[in-house]
Amino acid sequence: MKDPLYSLPFDVITSIVLLLPQDVRVECIKVSRLWREQILACAEAWFIVSLENGAADNPMAELACDISKHVKHLKMTTTSDHVCSQYLKQLRAGHFTRIQSLEIAEPSINGLKVYNDYGATNGAHHNVVKKALQTLQIENTLTYLDIKIGFTCDPEVSIAEVIATFPYLTDLIYSVESRLYPQVEYYYDIMTTPHQHMINLELRASIIMETDIKCIAIFCPKLRRLVLNGCVNKVLHAIVECQNTTMKNLEIFAFNPDNTHPPIPTLSTLSTETQTIANVNGMDESNEGKGLRILYTNNGRTPVPTEDILPLIYQNRKTLETIYACISRLTDIELEYLYNKYVNFELKKIKYLTIWLTKGIQQWMLGAIKNSTSLVWLELVDIWDVNGLMDTLIKMPPLCHIKFVAASMKPSNHKKLIQLLERYAQLANDGKTDSLRSIAIQFCDNVITDDILGTLGNIKTLEEVWLGGLTNTTSVVKIHTFIAKLGKQQLKGIYFYKISVITDTTLAVLGDMVNTLSYIKLKELEYISDNGIRALIDKKTDDKNGLSLLVIEDCPHINPKCIDYARKKVRVVVYNKRCSSSYLSLNNKHHYALKPYQML
């Protein structure tokens, strides 16, 4: 029987091969000589190669010579010495002529020590390492590098050596388990001119000092995005200083984000307006309109001292559009000092604000946004003064998205919250397009009463509602009435998390909306079962429209067979019984907030 590959056009073969995962392509190569030749000739199929301790790593090692000329993106995090040596051999031979991005870790880095035999003294160690990196022969094409340096790496490659070796890098992710500061002197020893292309740097070390950042600012003056993990607080003062001298193009800055942090925005997320600020070289000689647009701190674990972070916020008050910050509380004396020091503090362009409203910070930050007409997203965590917050929100220009996390509301606070919701309901009735489109209330005690839920249901512009971790909630009947009322509006998504009154009956009521909703998310609901999910799904009659995403997490009475049933009618079903990292621990005061747009 004639091999079918003989009769297929090459472009059809390529299209088929592109659909196959890397490990399947490797297996197909073993079928015959013809299959091997045709698959290896599909250049596009080998643009991306990943070596991550998978079953296909060893077979991929034998293909290194054949595919190296096609590879544009190479990930080498395997622990196999054999696999690493095969790819390092091809790199040194200059066969990776098209490579643009490289992710490398041990033992690939250890493989460089074979060439570390120049008889160099300790003082010239950095030059030895630079020469070892140059043997890879990719310095003229590489624009993206992710390199992880462990304690056992030999040689230990410094960030200075990397920057000096690869002059066309635009993106560098550099992680080292040691302290960074001993490497500062390397810049002056091996770099004669600043790097002309680096615009994005992510740096992780056990300790990053302010002197490190000042050196980086000198030798990478065109940086537009900087993510630092392992910094001392004084680094923030260095950023303020460098913005005025050598780091004038910085637009995105993240300070010690933790692993549960929402993803830090990339440069590609910036608007077209931002892109025009920088010319093709990533730099604009004019300082007008320059400054940070996005600022992130950690996710609530360790508040950043106000005396360290506020100078940075104030210096960039005219340009900041996104702030995600957990800042330490202020005493009345400290707050009065700030009012005198930072006169007329306003965030004039703020669009997305996530802030932990601790004592003092609430007054300070709300005062900076109370007149804002640009703010669309407001996420508030650890609310100190609920009534004071509601008074400000009632008087502010209307917002599109509001989220409350971790607030203890007393009955005396309910009246203010109802007034706020009534305002948005009236805006919706008046046909205002800028009325509230999404609201999230999570881990707020004594909030969802019958009156509040009834008022919330009157906001006709609502497209998304997230309710979670609520105690002393409304009655089952009232929440069903609320859902039914929302079903008559333009609701696109709903999320219930850890609410005891959500039952199978609730899901049946929710089923009346499955032909209009886009998504439903259910998490840690103890009183729903397979019967409720089936009742929900059975009401979906429109195969093309309606519910397209169903997420079920940590619901103990939902079983895999029920999920299989749901997948017959819902395009995407996410099922997970493991504990999610996006949790909120009230005992430890670790509040994990959502990134902007995550509700959308």
Side-chain angles (χ1 to χ4, degrees), residues 317-349:
R317 65 193 182 281
K318 295 181 180 179
T319 57
L320 276 168
E321 295 179 2
T322 298
I323 296 178
Y324 186 105
C326 180
I327 306 173
S328 63
R329 61 178 57 201
L330 293 167
T331 65
D332 293 340
I333 295 176
E334 290 171 332
L335 184 60
E336 186 63 30
Y337 170 77
L338 289 179
Y339 282 134
N340 293 327
K341 183 175 181 179
Y342 302 116
V343 180
N344 299 323
F345 173 53
E346 289 185 46
L347 296 168
K348 295 183 178 296
K349 292 188 176 181

Side-chain angles (χ1 to χ4, degrees), residues 33 81 133 214 231 285 289 329 421 455 482 499 518 537 598:
R33 178 179 296 178
D81 290 329
L133 289 172
K214 290 179 179 180
C231 297
E285 298 302 324
R329 61 178 57 201
L421 299 178
T455 308
F482 168 68
I499 302 177
S518 296
I537 298 303
Q598 195 164 336

Side-chain angles (χ1 to χ4, degrees), residues 68-322:
S68 58
K69 59 187 176 184
H70 303 311
V71 176
K72 293 184 178 181
H73 311 284
L74 176 60
K75 183 175 184 178
M76 253 195 328
T77 56
T78 178
T79 55
S80 168
D81 290 329
H82 171 66
V83 175
C84 290
S85 65
Q86 291 300 307
Y87 277 82
L88 287 172
K89 179 180 178 181
Q90 298 304 318
L91 283 164
R92 291 172 182 137
H95 293 165
F96 282 83
T97 56
R98 305 179 71 184
I99 192 165
Q100 298 171 10
S101 74
L102 173 64
E103 183 173 343
I104 189 171
E106 300 178 77
S108 301
I109 296 171
N110 291 339
L112 297 174
K113 66 184 179 182
V114 176
Y115 287 81
N116 193 0
D117 58 355
Y118 302 102
T121 62
N122 290 334
H125 171 75
H126 43 275
N127 285 320
V128 172
V129 176
K130 181 180 176 182
K131 290 179 181 179
L133 289 172
Q134 288 174 335
T135 64
L136 300 180
Q137 299 193 52
I138 55 177
E139 63 267 24
N140 292 326
T141 60
L142 198 68
T143 59
Y144 177 98
L145 177 62
D146 184 337
I147 183 168
K148 296 177 177 64
I149 312 297
F151 281 122
T152 60
C153 274
D154 181 19
E156 182 175 330
V157 183
S158 77
I159 185 174
E161 291 152 355
V162 171
I163 294 173
T165 304
F166 302 107
Y168 297 104
L169 276 183
T170 58
D171 300 80
L172 172 61
I173 301 175
Y174 178 89
S175 303
V176 62
E177 294 183 11
S178 63
R179 301 177 69 176
L180 194 67
Y181 77 89
Q183 303 172 349
V184 171
E185 63 189 39
Y186 290 0
Y187 292 97
Y188 298 97
D189 290 339
I190 63 177
M191 293 191 70
T192 56
T193 59
H195 199 286
Q196 296 301 308
H197 295 88
M198 184 85 68
I199 59 174
N200 177 35
L201 174 63
E202 295 188 20
L203 181 59
R204 177 185 292 270
S206 61
I207 296 180
I208 301 173
M209 307 294 289
E210 58 268 36
T211 51
D212 303 320
I213 300 307
K214 290 179 179 180
C215 274
I216 289 173
I218 292 171
F219 289 100
C220 299
K222 297 186 179 181
L223 279 178
R224 295 174 55 202
R225 181 178 183 269
L226 181 62
V227 178
L228 303 175
N229 207 307
C231 297
V232 298
N233 291 328
K234 295 300 180 183
V235 163
L236 291 166
H237 296 276
I239 295 293
V240 170
E241 179 181 335
C242 291
Q243 272 196 295
N244 294 320
T245 53
T246 53
M247 202 182 288
K248 297 180 179 180
N249 300 290
L250 195 62
E251 297 175 85
I252 301 174
F253 175 60
F255 176 80
N256 291 342
D258 39 43
N259 292 333
T260 56
H261 205 292
I264 309 302
T266 63
L267 288 171
S268 62
T269 63
L270 294 179
S271 65
T272 305
E273 178 185 355
T274 302
Q275 300 294 340
T276 60
I277 292 178
N279 60 18
V280 292
N281 293 322
M283 194 169 186
D284 181 12
E285 298 302 324
S286 170
N287 288 327
E288 185 177 356
K290 285 196 171 186
L292 285 181
R293 294 190 66 184
I294 298 174
L295 173 63
Y296 273 48
T297 71
N298 68 72
N299 203 357
R301 290 183 179 274
T302 306
V304 182
T306 53
E307 63 269 22
D308 296 319
I309 189 69
L310 288 187
L312 182 62
I313 294 177
Y314 186 77
Q315 178 164 281
N316 295 277
R317 65 193 182 281
K318 295 181 180 179
T319 57
L320 276 168
E321 295 179 2
T322 298

